[in-house]
């Protein structure tokens, strides 16, 4: 019996999903719609930015990169959620779990860094408009984006490598909807080491989040100070409108991320854990294409132009003369 209990766990079972077929289908349909919308919405933004030369500016370069990351950020978790909802076992292998954690956090941290770079871009555009074109060159934009991705894909590696060495020999029921550090660590067998690791992971996440928030906050202090010195109300409105989309995405994403990863010793019920995870893993990416398209006049006009061209082409192909 003792040797049976010490058998290493090779897979985890997600216990946060509903087990009745009706409830699973009710969750599957809206989640599939949201995932499809995220993929199509971000592909539309990427295509529109690429096809319109007047959108080849630093701000839209970063929006383009963010849309690309959002596709992979959601693809790291949502397809597995969808398959788990329709599967009877709702399981994931240990290696699959480690890979999911890595790519989810790698793309997520890359987004955090990119949102910080976007705040720096808005700060330069509003606070140093004369020097902005010479400072924020296409080369610097590419370097900042590459640095964000390198930081994102390197940062989680030590944590993933550390977790991969832990023995998992007890319960294999993962109380979450995807693999994440804390739910997985709670299933490790070594109590003392697990407690230390949870504390280390908490501190690492806190440093990442607080550093990004402080940098973005300082950027917006400078932005607000400059906007308040603009005499005309129209000038203030125009200056602030260029930051609204970024600020909305920042508050939506970082608000839910902070609730999940700045909890330290606080614990939530399974319901609230799931709700918060859905907020930053599903809902935030769902709203991003809406925020960057509906609140952006240039992208809206570009989309309308291409839709009009598509209609003309469709009618011409149906009625050739």
């Amino acid at each position: 019996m003792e040797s049976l209990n010490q058998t290493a766990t090779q897979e985890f079972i997600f216990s946060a999903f509903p087990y009745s077929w009706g409830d699973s289908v009710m969750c599957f349909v809206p989640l599939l719609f949201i995932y499809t919308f995220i993929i199509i919405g971000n592909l539309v933004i990427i295509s529109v930015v690429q096809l319109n030369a007047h959108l080849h500016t630093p701000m839209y370069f970063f929006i383009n990169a963010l849309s690309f990351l959002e596709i992979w950020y959601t693809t790291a978790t949502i397809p597995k959620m969808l398959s788990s909802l329709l599967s009877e076992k709702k399981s994931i292998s240990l290696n699959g779990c480690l890979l999911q954690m890595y790519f989810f956090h790698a793309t997520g941290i890359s987004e955090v860094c990119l949102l910080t770079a976007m705040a720096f871009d808005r700060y330069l555009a509003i606070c140093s408009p004369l020097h902005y074109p010479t400072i924020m060159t296409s080369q610097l934009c590419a370097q900042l984006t590459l640095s964000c991705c390198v930081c994102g894909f390197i940062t989680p590696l030590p944590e993933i490598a550390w977790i991969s060495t832990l023995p998992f020999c007890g319960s294999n029921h993962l109380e979450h909807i995807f693999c994440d550090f804390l739910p997985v660590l709670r299933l490790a067998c070594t109590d003392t080491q697990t407690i230390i690791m949870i504390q280390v992971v908490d501190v690492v996440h806190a440093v990442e989040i607080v550093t990004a928030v402080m940098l973005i906050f300082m950027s917006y202090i400078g932005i607000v100070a400059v906007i308040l010195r603009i005499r005309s109300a129209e000038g203030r409105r125009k200056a602030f409108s260029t930051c609204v989309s970024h600020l909305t995405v920042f508050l939506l994403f970082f608000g839910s991320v902070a609730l999940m990863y700045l909890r330290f010793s606080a614990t939530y019920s399974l319901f609230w854990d799931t709700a918060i995870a859905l907020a930053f893993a599903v809902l935030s990416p769902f709203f991003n294409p809406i925020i960057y398209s509906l609140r952006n006049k240039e992208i809206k006009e570009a989309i309308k132009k291409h839709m009009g061209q598509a209609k003309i082409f469709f009618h011409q192909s149906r009625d050739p003369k």
Side-chain angles (χ1 to χ4, degrees):
M1 181 67 72
E2 186 174 330
S3 62
L4 183 65
N5 290 336
Q6 294 302 314
T7 301
T9 298
Q10 293 302 314
E11 68 175 13
F12 298 113
I13 297 172
F14 297 112
S15 58
F17 290 110
Y19 277 83
S20 72
W21 177 252
D23 291 341
S24 294
V25 171
M26 284 180 64
C27 295
F28 177 86
V29 173
L31 185 59
L32 178 62
F33 168 78
I34 289 171
Y35 180 59
T36 305
F37 178 84
I38 290 169
I39 300 299
I40 294 173
N42 283 299
L43 286 175
V44 167
I45 291 174
I46 291 170
S47 302
V48 166
V49 172
Q50 291 295 322
L51 292 172
N52 291 270
H54 71 282
L55 296 181
H56 294 175
T57 63
M59 183 175 78
Y60 291 107
F61 180 91
F62 289 126
I63 290 174
N64 211 25
L66 184 67
S67 294
F68 179 77
L69 283 172
E70 288 276 61
I71 291 172
W72 295 108
Y73 174 72
T74 51
T75 300
T77 56
I78 296 181
K80 185 60 184 176
M81 290 186 211
L82 290 168
S83 65
S84 295
L85 283 167
L86 298 183
S87 170
E88 188 176 338
K89 200 173 182 184
K90 309 181 190 305
S91 63
I92 186 171
S93 68
L94 177 58
N95 289 335
C97 189
L98 292 171
L99 281 172
Q100 187 182 67
M101 278 194 294
Y102 173 69
F103 283 106
F104 177 70
H105 282 274
T107 51
I109 294 168
S110 298
E111 282 193 31
V112 167
C113 295
L114 192 61
L115 286 169
T116 307
M118 291 170 77
F120 174 66
D121 171 67
R122 292 298 83 208
Y123 171 81
L124 283 178
I126 292 172
C127 299
S128 301
L130 297 178
H131 298 100
Y132 177 71
T134 56
I135 297 173
M136 193 58 72
T137 61
S138 57
Q139 183 180 0
L140 180 59
C141 290
Q143 289 172 345
L144 285 172
T145 303
L146 181 61
S147 299
C148 290
C149 292
V150 169
C151 177
F153 280 81
I154 288 178
T155 303
L157 276 176
E159 293 171 279
I160 298 296
W162 204 357
I163 292 172
S164 68
T165 63
L166 290 176
F168 296 93
C169 51
S171 171
N172 67 338
H173 285 263
L174 193 69
E175 294 190 343
H176 210 46
I177 52 176
F178 56 84
C179 289
D180 205 356
F181 290 129
L182 296 183
V184 171
L185 283 171
R186 292 191 189 109
L187 300 181
C189 300
T190 51
D191 295 336
T192 305
Q193 189 178 358
T194 302
I195 291 169
I196 294 171
M197 280 196 65
I198 289 173
Q199 292 171 342
V200 169
V201 168
D202 280 342
V203 170
V204 169
H205 288 153
V207 170
E208 291 168 356
I209 295 166
V210 171
T211 300
V213 169
M214 288 302 297
L215 289 172
I216 293 172
F217 182 67
M218 286 189 291
S219 296
Y220 274 101
I221 288 176
I223 289 169
V224 170
V226 170
I227 290 175
L228 291 176
R229 288 201 297 268
I230 299 174
R231 294 182 179 179
S232 68
E234 178 63 20
R236 288 195 297 270
R237 187 199 64 78
K238 188 176 179 180
F240 188 70
S241 66
T242 64
C243 304
V244 170
S245 296
H246 174 266
L247 190 58
T248 305
V249 169
F250 160 69
L251 292 173
L252 185 65
F253 182 68
F254 275 81
S256 52
V257 165
L259 282 174
M260 178 61 76
Y261 296 112
L262 293 183
R263 66 171 77 185
F264 293 103
S265 59
T267 56
Y268 305 135
S269 67
L270 180 59
F271 171 82
W272 284 112
D273 260 347
T274 305
I276 295 168
L278 285 172
F280 69 81
V282 178
L283 294 181
S284 178
F286 171 72
F287 286 117
N288 286 359
I290 299 172
I291 293 166
Y292 278 118
S293 57
L294 295 182
R295 290 202 58 87
N296 191 297
K297 185 180 178 182
E298 290 180 306
I299 288 185
K300 279 195 295 185
E301 289 177 353
I303 291 172
K304 287 178 183 177
K305 183 186 79 171
H306 289 294
M307 286 180 67
Q309 291 173 344
K311 285 181 181 178
I312 292 170
F313 176 79
F314 179 72
H315 286 306
Q316 287 177 343
S317 63
R318 289 189 63 183
D319 302 311
K321 293 185 179 180

